[in-house]
Amino acid sequence: MKDNDTKRLSRLTSILTQLQTKRLLTATNLAEKFNVSIRTIYRDIRALEKAGVPIITEDGKGYTLMDGYKIPPVMFTERQANALILAEQLVLKNKDTSFIKDYSEAIDKIKAVLRQTDKDKANLLADRTRFEQNINRERNSNNISELQQALTNFHLINIDYANEQNEKTSRIVEPFALISTTENWLLIAWCRLRKEFRYFRLDRISKMQVLTEKFEPHKMTLQEYFDKFYKSILTPDIRLS
């Protein structure tokens, strides 16, 4: 096989993976990613279509795959996918760029085999998770997997929580994001008791129950949350619930 043919086969495979990972892609995005012309991407798309890949062209927007099309046979449970997304945050702290690149490409392939609904949840979780590595961390939590699932499925959770003064309360909260600081895992959630966003240290949650009742998703990213509430989180009584 000629070198150009090998490169094209690799690119076609990567384009298929990208299409399965993201909801919508443009020819311009793909051309920039693979350092080829837009005309080359047009030819690649046609080649994939001829091979039976159900690509839908949305005029003026880009390309997407027919919902439900995926590469068998690897399947992941939602919790397994969530664990891999969390691991991605750890990898991104690594300073070896080649390692980051390889792992990111592997995560793209994992996302590609997820159903669209699970893919959306994985992308939401990646957006709502921040991690700061600390090898000396002693405090642990047994709630992260359940919290991840509640966050991506928009389920209310009921927690028994103790603050810094060891005052115990029972709260119903709307999980929004998970953050690992250099000391603790924190849950950012809308607290229905306090009627505002609060931080909850996971090691202070003594009991947690994921409820069947759902809440209306908060229409902002984690970065937008920081931009909006950054001044507030510096206030001691707002920083931690």
Side-chain angles (χ1 to χ4, degrees), residues 115-130:
R115 292 172 299 177
Q116 187 61 55
T117 52
D118 292 335
K119 197 181 303 180
D120 290 342
K121 291 175 184 178
N123 289 330
L124 173 65
L125 185 61
D127 179 64
R128 298 285 182 85
T129 305
R130 292 291 184 275

Side-chain angles (χ1 to χ4, degrees), residues 2 46 121 164 217:
K2 295 180 180 179
R46 285 197 295 272
K121 291 175 184 178
E164 288 184 301

Side-chain angles (χ1 to χ4, degrees), residues 83-124:
L84 290 166
I85 294 300
L86 181 57
E88 183 181 22
Q89 297 292 320
L90 301 177
V91 172
L92 292 177
K93 294 296 177 182
N94 191 289
K95 294 183 179 179
D96 187 302
T97 55
S98 63
F99 181 57
I100 292 173
K101 178 178 180 294
D102 289 342
Y103 192 88
S104 296
E105 290 176 353
I107 285 292
D108 279 347
K109 291 179 180 179
I110 289 167
K111 289 179 182 178
V113 301
L114 299 177
R115 292 172 299 177
Q116 187 61 55
T117 52
D118 292 335
K119 197 181 303 180
D120 290 342
K121 291 175 184 178
N123 289 330
L124 173 65

Side-chain angles (χ1 to χ4, degrees), residues 8-128:
R8 190 184 187 209
L9 179 59
S10 176
R11 189 174 65 250
L12 288 172
T13 303
S14 295
I15 289 173
L16 180 56
T17 301
Q18 287 290 306
L19 284 167
Q20 292 186 107
T21 303
K22 297 178 172 63
R23 185 180 288 275
L24 192 68
L25 287 174
T26 67
T28 301
N29 292 150
L30 291 170
E32 290 175 353
K33 179 175 179 62
F34 298 109
N35 195 28
V36 296
S37 68
I38 292 178
R39 182 172 294 181
T40 296
I41 294 299
Y42 291 156
R43 288 198 295 266
D44 288 344
I45 294 296
R46 285 197 295 272
L48 289 171
E49 289 174 331
K50 287 180 180 179
V53 178
I55 298 174
I56 299 171
T57 302
E58 297 188 14
D59 291 339
K61 293 184 178 180
Y63 304 109
T64 186
L65 279 180
M66 183 182 294
D67 196 27
Y69 180 82
K70 58 182 179 292
I71 300 174
V74 182
M75 293 301 293
F76 295 90
T77 66
E78 187 176 338
R79 286 196 177 197
Q80 288 168 341
N82 288 345
L84 290 166
I85 294 300
L86 181 57
E88 183 181 22
Q89 297 292 320
L90 301 177
V91 172
L92 292 177
K93 294 296 177 182
N94 191 289
K95 294 183 179 179
D96 187 302
T97 55
S98 63
F99 181 57
I100 292 173
K101 178 178 180 294
D102 289 342
Y103 192 88
S104 296
E105 290 176 353
I107 285 292
D108 279 347
K109 291 179 180 179
I110 289 167
K111 289 179 182 178
V113 301
L114 299 177
R115 292 172 299 177
Q116 187 61 55
T117 52
D118 292 335
K119 197 181 303 180
D120 290 342
K121 291 175 184 178
N123 289 330
L124 173 65
L125 185 61
D127 179 64
R128 298 285 182 85

Side-chain angles (χ1 to χ4, degrees), residues 145-229:
S145 290
E146 286 184 284
L147 282 170
Q148 286 179 319
Q149 206 159 16
L151 189 157
T152 56
N153 288 282
F154 310 112
H155 281 285
L156 292 169
I157 56 175
N158 192 345
I159 60 173
D160 289 345
Y161 187 78
N163 64 14
E164 288 184 301
Q165 291 72 42
N166 203 32
E167 298 169 341
K168 298 177 181 179
T169 55
S170 180
R171 318 274 189 100
I172 292 179
V173 301
E174 302 171 6
F176 176 74
L178 285 166
I179 297 177
S180 172
T181 68
T182 54
E183 295 180 354
N184 299 287
W185 271 104
L186 301 177
L187 167 68
I188 300 177
W190 177 266
C191 177
R192 292 194 168 183
L193 177 66
R194 305 302 187 199
K195 300 189 186 317
E196 61 184 355
F197 279 104
R198 289 285 180 119
Y199 283 75
F200 298 91
R201 263 179 41 178
L202 298 198
D203 62 326
R204 290 180 180 166
I205 298 176
S206 59
K207 184 179 178 182
M208 187 183 85
Q209 180 186 8
V210 179
L211 306 179
T212 57
E213 183 183 350
K214 292 192 173 188
F215 61 90
E216 187 69 25
H218 298 279
K219 303 296 183 182
M220 60 180 168
T221 66
L222 183 55
Q223 187 58 54
E224 287 170 343
Y225 167 83
F226 286 141
D227 292 342
K228 184 176 181 179
F229 294 103

